[in-house]
Amino acid sequence: MGSYNSQYEDYYRNLRRKRERSSYNMNSLNKKKSSNNSNYLVKRIIRDLSGAVVLFFIVIICRLIVTPQTQAVYNYSKKIVEKSYDYNAIYAKVKTLNISKFQDKATDFIENIKAKVTGGRTIKEKVKAEFTMPVKGNITSNYGYREDPVTKSKKFHEGIDIDVKENTDIKVVYDGKVKDCGEDVELGKYVLIDHGQGIETKYAHLNELSIKKGDELKKGSIIGKSGNTGKSTGPHLHFELLYMGESKNPSEFIAIK
């Protein structure tokens, strides 16, 4: 009986230890989460205040250094501050806001301000003026939601598909450096080109590659041959345009010819 009681006590002693350890770990986790939330709020406040300070100095500089560009920025800022808004209409729009389109508009707004300050061009203007299509052919699938040709489920298509015969030369759309290349289950043989200023292009379902990672390329250089590799139902080129890691509709940036 003594042996039984001893085993009984040992069993519950172990249970108590496990419960104490679990409680300790949970408290540590809660403290960590609380600390992370606190750090996030502090960083967010600092970031927002920094942004306000930067904008304040930009306005001051525009008043002190008078050029056509700074005057344009100052007048535009003043116009926005003095403009009266219908807040009920704004609230109604916010409720039906498309986040993706809002992000695109915000990016365009920032790019326009930057272009006015520097006297240069926006990213969209640069791409439209200097980038070309990687190959000639009809667009068989557009950017956006569509029925996946293999799974038949609704899925977002992050590029455009160009109808082209197998083993047709595929050309880089602008000067750049090969950021990545290889073979993927879905994309097949692919190439990712970095064009600088946050602009990248991707080419997929190729039969063969003519480049390697790190290669410096000039606009029009051949990067490979079109094909039907990866998750594909027929020969074509899948082409993507990315800005700051976000996919964009190539048809809105590059003239389709």
Side-chain angles (χ1 to χ4, degrees), residues 100 106 203 206:
S100 179
Y203 315 74
L206 302 173

Side-chain angles (χ1 to χ4, degrees), residues 85-96:
Y85 295 94
D86 182 348
Y87 292 102
N88 289 327
I90 292 173
Y91 177 68
K93 285 184 179 180
V94 167
K95 288 198 296 184
T96 58

Side-chain angles (χ1 to χ4, degrees), residues 162-176:
I162 305 171
D163 183 31
V164 60
K165 292 180 180 179
E166 263 189 276
N167 297 316
T168 301
D169 287 341
I170 302 301
K171 300 176 181 179
V172 64
V173 298
Y174 189 67
D175 299 353

Side-chain angles (χ1 to χ4, degrees), residues 60-72:
I60 295 297
I61 289 169
C62 289
R63 291 298 292 158
L64 295 176
I65 305 172
V66 181
T67 67
Q69 288 80 20
T70 58
Q71 193 62 42

Side-chain angles (χ1 to χ4, degrees), residues 109-251:
F109 176 78
I110 293 169
E111 283 295 321
N112 285 327
I113 292 294
K114 191 168 30 171
K116 284 181 180 179
V117 172
T118 61
R121 293 180 295 178
T122 65
I123 294 300
K124 187 172 281 190
E125 289 170 343
K126 173 184 172 64
V127 172
K128 279 187 175 180
E130 300 179 9
F131 283 51
T132 59
M133 289 295 286
V135 67
K136 289 184 179 180
N138 295 324
I139 306 301
T140 56
S141 186
N142 292 310
Y143 177 88
Y145 281 100
R146 65 167 188 176
E147 181 185 274
D148 189 284
V150 176
T151 64
K152 303 302 179 184
S153 61
K154 193 175 183 182
K155 190 176 179 182
F156 195 85
H157 189 225
E158 296 186 332
I160 58 174
D161 289 344
I162 305 171
D163 183 31
V164 60
K165 292 180 180 179
E166 263 189 276
N167 297 316
T168 301
D169 287 341
I170 302 301
K171 300 176 181 179
V172 64
V173 298
Y174 189 67
D175 299 353
K177 184 177 182 179
V178 180
K179 183 177 181 179
D180 192 19
C181 61
E183 190 160 7
D184 179 86
V185 174
E186 297 228 351
L187 297 174
K189 291 181 180 177
Y190 70 93
V191 180
L192 179 64
I193 308 291
D194 183 358
H195 303 283
Q197 294 184 279
I199 309 170
E200 297 173 340
T201 51
K202 187 183 290 183
Y203 315 74
H205 304 307
L206 302 173
N207 260 357
E208 62 179 71
L209 307 179
S210 306
I211 46 73
K212 63 182 183 298
K213 188 174 180 178
D215 282 354
E216 299 278 354
L217 303 174
K218 289 293 183 183
K219 177 179 175 179
S221 299
I222 296 172
I223 60 173
K225 302 279 188 182
S226 61
N228 190 29
T229 59
K231 198 173 86 172
S232 171
T233 56
H236 72 282
L237 174 72
H238 173 79
F239 174 64
E240 293 182 26
L241 175 70
L242 302 100
Y243 179 58
M244 296 300 179
E246 295 285 337
S247 67
K248 301 294 178 183
N249 187 351
S251 302

